[in-house]
Amino acid sequence: MKRIILMRGIPGSGKSFLAEQINQNGTFSTDSFWYDEAGVYRFEPAKLSKAHEWNRAQVERMLDRFDHGTYIVDNTNINRRDMKPYFDLAVKYGAEISILQVDTPLQTCIDRNAARSQDRRVPEETICRMFLDMQHPINCGAMLQSAIERAKK
């Protein structure tokens, strides 16, 4: 069986830590796109769409290549539109899909973010905006049904 687990939470919530604990066949994060050949993190906001497409393509490659496996998407997945491409992949490849939401108090996330290296810090105002933008609740079944309907067209 193929499975996709979508991590969901604001920066500093502990998504990556939890993903490492449950990692089975691969963790895929848009953050990986920003590392250069020397391992230096170089975020470029203008390339964010390209980075998300790159990450989605990495997940699709694994779904296409293997008949079973659990693949974790370690992105913030704040909005339904962020998750939509992965639901479409789940339908296309017959994979189970679930959302693992990491709810951590805002101040804890801000404190954890402040402890990160300078190149990995997210501006505090961005974290606060993401906290407010999180759409609750996300209905996984409804999102899957929408993906099924899109696939029929």
Side-chain angles (χ1 to χ4, degrees):
M1 173 55 79
K2 298 176 187 183
R3 290 185 194 93
I4 301 170
I5 299 173
L6 299 178
M7 303 303 292
R8 182 172 191 253
I10 64 175
S13 63
K15 296 178 307 300
S16 298
F17 176 79
L18 186 55
E20 287 176 21
Q21 304 306 307
I22 60 175
N23 181 14
Q24 293 187 10
N25 302 107
T27 299
F28 300 88
S29 174
T30 300
D31 277 350
S32 298
F33 179 84
W34 307 114
Y35 287 96
D36 66 17
E37 298 81 27
V40 177
Y41 188 82
R42 299 183 190 280
F43 180 71
E44 296 179 47
K47 294 183 178 179
L48 192 55
S49 291
K50 182 178 180 180
H52 279 290
E53 177 54 33
W54 172 85
N55 195 62
R56 189 210 57 78
Q58 301 302 310
V59 173
E60 182 167 20
R61 188 179 47 138
M62 297 303 285
L63 291 168
D64 187 51
R65 180 184 251 176
F66 299 105
D67 291 331
H68 65 279
T70 299
Y71 308 104
I72 300 170
V73 178
D74 182 21
N75 291 341
T76 56
N77 291 306
I78 299 297
N79 299 299
R80 288 173 180 84
R81 75 171 183 275
D82 299 334
M83 294 180 262
K84 180 181 169 186
Y86 298 101
F87 277 88
D88 291 343
L89 287 178
V91 170
K92 181 177 179 179
Y93 290 97
E96 291 181 358
I97 188 165
S98 59
I99 300 168
L100 181 53
Q101 184 161 317
V102 183
D103 288 321
T104 304
L106 176 59
Q107 190 58 52
T108 300
C109 296
I110 290 170
D111 293 344
R112 288 177 179 170
N113 182 64
R116 291 178 171 168
S117 62
Q118 183 65 36
D119 63 335
R120 293 297 321 251
R121 278 189 210 137
V122 177
E124 187 173 321
E125 55 275 5
T126 300
I127 294 175
C128 291
R129 181 184 44 78
M130 291 174 119
F131 182 80
L132 294 173
D133 286 348
M134 284 200 44
Q135 299 172 12
H136 295 279
I138 295 291
N139 184 320
C140 195
M143 290 208 51
L144 184 57
Q145 188 59 43
S146 293
I148 291 169
E149 293 301 319
R150 283 191 299 278
K152 290 179 182 177
K153 294 180 182 177

